[in-house]
Amino acid sequence: MTELATTESAAIEQQQAAPITPTAGTTALMAWAQEADLAYQMAQKLANTSFVPQSLRGKPGDITAAILAGAELGLPPMATLKSIDVIQGTPALRAHAMRGLLQSKGHEIELVESSDVYCRMRGRRKGAEAWQYVEWDIPRATRLGLLGKAEWKKQPKSMLVARATGELSRLIAADALYGMPYVAEELGGTVHAEVVPQAAPLSIAAVTGPSVMPVAPAPAEAEYAVTRDDEDGAEWENVEDSTDWPAVVQPGGEA
């Protein structure tokens, strides 16, 4: 028994002394954690600046998530802040950003016809010959109950283009969108045109200095306002009419 115990003890000591070789997955996770930490430090410095859209302002955690999600799509941080909104906890690309992303990967997407009552777009995957067409019109929006939304009343042309963009992009290049298959205009129901109170110019020290959350200045009176539907408590618009995507939302400007 003594000999057996000694053998087992030696085996345990050998296992404990042996160096642990990290797997590829562990190495990637550690690199991602370091990237996330850097992104959060950046988000703290930018959280209350006018460079951040209203839906993310003052929310360093959401800004960090947006930056990391944008990095997976190949977007640099500052471009991400003008391209991604977090709507009720779900990140979504703005329509113009989704078109630009697909075009940067070699896919083609074109606006064929557009008016206040009708939109027709076409697109084709890189290397494909056949075009895919998507149409959106006011009767279709009416059936989905979209015309009661403020932006549909004010900018129906832009909202039709945004809807067509999202549906067409999913149709020809869903793999390029990863966990963000819907455009922000589909989920939030707004075309992105914000009025930002005038503030002092951002200095280099504000970006590179210590991570201290600045105090937000009192908002100046704006000449006009644009109502956003993506505030807490707002209901998502019906996105079930996109025939190429499940009805359940998946994790993933002018149009």
Side-chain angles (χ1 to χ4, degrees):
M1 290 293 294
T2 303
E3 183 179 352
L4 178 59
T6 302
T7 303
E8 290 179 350
S9 177
I12 293 174
E13 291 179 358
Q14 184 177 3
Q15 291 177 356
Q16 292 176 342
I20 300 176
T21 302
T23 64
T26 301
T27 301
L29 184 59
M30 292 173 61
W32 186 90
Q34 293 177 342
E35 184 179 353
D37 184 60
L38 291 173
Y40 186 73
Q41 294 179 40
M42 183 188 304
Q44 287 181 304
K45 296 169 184 175
L46 296 174
N48 283 329
T49 70
S50 58
F51 284 89
V52 178
Q54 191 65 45
S55 63
L56 295 174
R57 196 164 302 162
K59 302 175 183 177
D62 284 353
I63 295 172
T64 300
I67 290 175
L68 294 173
E72 292 182 354
L73 296 175
L75 297 174
M78 296 308 294
T80 293
L81 295 180
K82 295 300 182 183
S83 303
I84 294 178
D85 284 315
V86 178
I87 302 173
Q88 303 228 349
T90 298
L93 281 166
R94 298 183 180 185
H96 69 83
M98 187 173 285
R99 288 197 299 272
L101 177 63
L102 264 61
Q103 291 168 343
S104 71
K105 295 182 180 298
H107 308 302
E108 298 178 76
I109 183 168
E110 299 177 357
L111 181 62
V112 177
E113 184 178 348
S114 178
S115 70
D116 285 344
V117 297
Y118 177 76
C119 175
R120 189 173 194 236
M121 298 185 73
R122 70 173 188 172
R124 61 182 176 184
R125 190 174 180 83
K126 180 181 179 181
E129 295 184 1
W131 289 91
Q132 304 291 333
Y133 289 83
V134 166
E135 295 179 337
W136 266 85
D137 55 22
I138 292 300
R140 184 178 180 185
T142 301
R143 291 194 299 271
L144 292 174
L146 302 178
L147 295 188
K149 298 288 186 177
E151 289 302 322
W152 278 92
K153 295 177 180 178
K154 293 185 290 185
Q155 303 187 72
K157 182 177 181 179
S158 295
M159 295 305 292
L160 288 170
V161 172
R163 282 274 172 165
T165 294
E167 184 172 330
L168 183 59
S169 298
R170 293 188 292 271
L171 184 63
I172 65 174
D175 58 321
L177 305 177
Y178 295 102
M180 285 184 280
Y182 292 107
V183 296
E185 290 85 349
E186 288 177 294
L187 301 184
T190 181
V191 173
H192 300 278
E194 300 175 354
V195 178
V196 179
Q198 189 171 6
L202 182 67
S203 66
I204 297 298
V207 177
T208 60
S211 301
V212 178
M213 186 75 72
V215 178
E221 183 178 355
E223 295 183 3
Y224 67 95
V226 176
T227 301
R228 297 182 60 89
D229 291 335
D230 57 352
E231 298 296 333
D232 290 341
E235 294 183 359
W236 288 4
E237 293 185 31
N238 190 330
V239 295
E240 296 179 356
D241 200 45
S242 299
T243 57
D244 57 318
W245 200 262
V248 179
V249 176
Q250 301 295 318
E254 177 193 357

